[in-house]
Amino acid sequence: MLVLFLCTGNSCRSQMAEGFGKLYAPDGWQVASAGSRPVGYVHPKAIAVMAEKGVDIAGNSSKHLNDFPKPDVVVTLCGSAAEECPLYPGALMTEHWGLPDPAHAEGDEAAVLNAFRSVRDEVERRVKDLFARL
């Protein structure tokens, strides 16, 4: 079974979900992330806040949703109407988690890091819940 986490740029939210998914997925499950318009990198602050939880996503790459032909479970993580959240028909199960993109957080360094941590913690909670239900 393949669980695919999707957002637009595949640099923050879906990368965090992939990291936690690989941590919490049952044996034999595959976990990946992708975007409808991948930006080509994983956001350094996403890498930093995941490292705080002991999850290394530094080696991840930004991927396009077309790289994954047939996922079983698709979770979209787009948070605002301005984002074009990708559609992925044909999956056995789909879910949408409307989470803000921390890459657009404003304020000083501490405020931006807190935005990343807040999204990270919510992603972790939802990933744990997802795998408990699957």
Side-chain angles (χ1 to χ4, degrees):
M1 297 282 283
L2 171 61
V3 178
L4 182 61
F5 294 101
L6 292 177
C7 64
T8 308
N10 190 223
S11 71
C12 297
R13 296 163 294 185
S14 56
Q15 291 288 345
M16 292 178 189
E18 178 181 353
F20 285 126
K22 288 179 177 176
L23 181 64
Y24 296 119
D27 288 340
W29 285 67
Q30 295 179 311
V31 176
S33 68
S36 55
R37 291 191 314 262
V39 297
Y41 64 92
V42 179
H43 198 290
K45 286 185 176 57
I47 293 169
V49 300
M50 290 297 286
E52 292 173 355
K53 293 286 229 169
V55 180
D56 183 6
I57 62 170
N60 288 12
S61 62
S62 182
K63 302 163 291 291
H64 193 275
L65 61 90
N66 291 342
D67 294 340
F68 301 92
K70 191 113 181 167
D72 301 288
V73 178
V74 173
V75 178
T76 54
L77 295 102
C78 306
S80 73
E83 290 182 88
E84 294 176 26
C85 207
L87 298 175
Y88 211 110
L92 299 174
M93 178 183 163
T94 59
E95 280 191 23
H96 176 71
W97 301 346
L99 299 174
D101 188 348
H104 299 299
E106 297 179 356
D108 63 16
E109 183 74 8
V112 171
L113 278 171
N114 283 335
F116 272 83
R117 288 180 183 116
S118 176
V119 170
R120 174 205 62 201
D121 293 346
E122 183 61 19
V123 166
E124 182 178 26
R125 186 190 69 73
R126 291 182 187 214
V127 167
K128 282 181 178 179
D129 175 68
L130 174 69
F131 283 110
R133 290 183 284 118
L134 295 174

